[in-house]
Structures are given as C-alpha cells and as structure tokens.
Amino acid sequence: MRAPTFDLTLLRTLVAVADNGSVTAAAKRLSYTQSTVSMQLKRLEEQLETSLHERVGRKLKITADGERLLTHARRLLAVNDDAWQDMQARQVSGELRLGIPEDYALLLPAVLTYFHQLYPGVSLEVICGTSADLAERVKNDELELALVTRQRRSPGGEVIRREPLLWAVGLQHQPLLRDPLPLALYSRGADVFREVAEQALESAGRQWQVAYTSQSMSGLTPVVIAGLAIVVITRSMLTPMLKPLDESSGLPALPSIELALHWAPHRPSEPARRLGDLIRRQLAAPAPD
C-alpha cells in the first residue's frame, strides 16, 4: 500500500488562508482566483475527511483540526523552502542590474526579498529612473532588466500587466474642478502619464495648467494632498491620503497603461531570467479595482 503524501500546494493554501484571514486575501497573496483557493481547501478537507475551516458570520475561522494541521504544514513548508533555496543558491550567482521607476518599486518589495532569499549568491543592484530612460539603458546593454511603463513612441518590451489610470485629489483638501484645472504631472518625457492626461483633456475640450512637475509621484503627492492640484495615477499608486475621482467629477475617462519587462539585447543571464520570472508571476494578477 502506498503511503499517503501531503500535497505541499494545498498546505501552502491553508497557511495563506490562516495567515491572511480570508479566502480573498489568500488568493491575492498566492496570485490565485478565489475559486481556486476554495477548491484547494475543499480538496484537502476531502483527503483528510475533516473540516479545516468554518465561517462565523462574515469571518473565516480555522477549526481545531485545522490548527493541528497548520503546525505540521508550517514545518513541512519550511523544510521544502529551505531545501529549494539551498539547491537554487548553488546554481545561480553573479551580478544583476535591475531598472525600476521609483513609483513601481512599491510593487516589488516582496519579490526582491524572495529573490534574495532564493539566490543569496546574486549581487542585485536596483537603479531608479524614468521609464523612457531605463528602457533606453536596457537597449544600450547598461541594464540586464527593467520594469517600466510601456512607451507609446518606442513600445517594445514584454507586457505583463495593464493598470487603469485615474484622476486623484487629496483626501481632505481638493482644488476646484473648474477650468483651468491645476495639474500635478510628471516632468515632460518622464512617463506617458502626462501625455495621456493632456490628450484626454484636449479631446474633452477642457483647459488646464501645469501647476507642479516632478519625475516621481513622491514629488507630486504632497502638493496634491495639500489640495493644490489634481494628479494622474494608477490604482496601485493610490494611498490613504488620496481620493480617486469618478465620472461624476466631470473629468474625462483615462485609458489603461501597460507595464512591460525590457530585456537586454543579448541572451538573458540566469539571474535576470529568474528575477524576470518572479516579477512576471507577481504582477500577472489583475490590478486591484
């Protein structure tokens, strides 16, 4: 008789549900759909012929049997991850230069931490700059890899995510939404956000004035929070101090932008390929609504 063996994927899902408190949050962490997480939980419960979780009102609670299994699951996953990291670390080493606009660095901390844990032998240097500049530096073989906003005039790259653009103002202080609209925009040529915003306003017959410029959102956010200007951002850039504007604001709808990976002209190094795969998996999930 074959000895029963746990499926580590199912155990990882159980741990994610327990740690995040809901199927929805676990699905986001694992880059799964909610139905996939629910199906995996059900499959694990069927294999063990016991209930591992239950709903109490709107909340999800791990049962006593679930808690017992969690203790074993964490140990099994830790041994698996240690073994995987040890084997991978032996195989991958070298130097890697990654380009990221400052505003996208917030999308990748978990990826970069995990990459370092998997491949401690890789010396990773992260260079921040504008999307247009980073794409050009990859083309010139100054960077192995870059995650940027796909440029309209020189598209290229591998599109891995689309994010809707939206207008935003300060949560507590907002400018009047009358012409000429005061805008806080990226410096000209820094990214496509400015071009998209100006084209949308021009098509809608609205007038505007550029009140503030910066090459990063960190330079624009303070004046927007103070109520001095309107800004264009992606949903992933939205912070608790910013308020998105909907169609009732009278401002024109904005299109989505594309996030793309740009690779150096030569064959990607093994560290670049591995990091690119991690970034692709992390960002392939739909942007939050």
Side-chain angles (χ1 to χ4, degrees):
M1 179 178 177
R2 187 174 63 180
T5 303
F6 279 106
D7 184 332
L8 294 182
T9 299
L10 302 185
L11 293 182
R12 200 176 295 278
T13 297
L14 174 65
V15 171
V17 169
D19 288 348
N20 291 273
S22 73
V23 169
T24 301
K28 184 176 181 180
R29 170 180 163 182
L30 297 169
S31 296
Y32 290 160
T33 63
Q34 293 182 39
S35 60
T36 296
V37 171
S38 297
M39 179 184 67
Q40 290 183 345
L41 277 179
K42 182 178 180 182
R43 182 179 169 192
L44 187 57
E45 290 176 331
E46 290 175 346
Q47 290 177 352
L48 296 173
E49 298 181 347
T50 188
S51 183
L52 302 174
H53 75 294
E54 60 185 4
R55 292 201 170 276
V56 179
R58 294 185 175 182
K59 296 184 178 180
L60 184 148
K61 180 182 178 182
I62 302 298
T63 64
D65 281 346
E67 292 290 350
R68 289 178 60 192
L69 180 57
L70 273 173
T71 301
H72 300 296
R74 294 186 193 279
R75 290 206 303 265
L76 288 171
L77 290 171
V79 171
N80 172 82
D81 293 348
D82 286 345
W84 182 262
Q85 291 174 21
D86 181 61
M87 297 307 296
Q88 293 296 310
R90 294 171 182 267
Q91 301 170 18
V92 182
S93 62
E95 298 181 352
L96 174 60
R97 292 163 297 175
L98 168 69
I100 321 174
E102 182 181 331
D103 301 320
Y104 291 163
L106 297 174
L107 295 173
L108 299 184
V111 169
L112 298 181
T113 298
Y114 187 52
F115 180 80
H116 178 68
Q117 291 172 347
L118 284 178
Y119 313 113
V122 176
S123 176
L124 175 63
E125 180 182 1
V126 179
I127 296 95
C128 290
T130 66
S131 288
D133 177 59
L134 292 173
E136 189 66 22
R137 293 186 67 178
V138 171
K139 186 187 302 183
N140 294 335
D141 211 12
E142 298 174 22
L143 302 173
E144 283 81 21
L145 183 65
L147 174 69
V148 302
T149 306
R150 199 169 193 228
Q151 304 300 293
R152 292 184 165 190
R153 294 183 176 85
S154 56
E158 172 196 353
V159 175
I160 60 173
R161 185 184 182 110
R162 290 178 173 81
E163 288 209 9
L165 289 178
L166 50 85
W167 303 99
V169 294
L171 180 63
Q172 298 184 4
H173 306 284
Q174 301 96 33
L176 296 175
L177 301 182
R178 65 188 182 193
D179 293 352
L181 296 165
L183 301 183
L185 297 176
Y186 282 107
S187 303
R188 192 171 297 280
D191 220 314
V192 299
F193 290 39
R194 177 171 183 155
E195 180 183 349
V196 167
E198 291 179 342
Q199 287 181 353
L201 291 171
E202 184 175 349
S203 297
R206 300 296 301 267
Q207 296 181 354
W208 71 93
Q209 62 182 17
V210 180
Y212 300 90
T213 63
S214 174
Q215 290 200 352
S216 69
M217 193 55 59
S218 61
L220 298 176
T221 300
V223 298
V224 177
I225 292 175
L228 302 177
I230 307 163
V231 73
V232 177
I233 58 174
T234 66
R235 288 199 178 278
S236 62
M237 294 178 183
L238 195 61
T239 70
M241 295 303 294
L242 295 177
K243 173 185 175 182
L245 298 175
D246 56 27
E247 61 276 4
S248 65
S249 67
L251 295 177
L254 295 169
S256 295
I257 53 97
E258 297 175 326
L259 273 62
L261 279 176
H262 283 250
W263 304 82
H266 55 75
R267 181 179 179 181
S269 66
E270 191 61 19
R273 189 183 67 81
R274 301 272 180 139
L275 180 56
D277 287 343
L278 288 177
I279 293 173
R280 186 186 297 111
R281 290 203 298 268
Q282 173 71 16
L283 299 187
D289 293 328

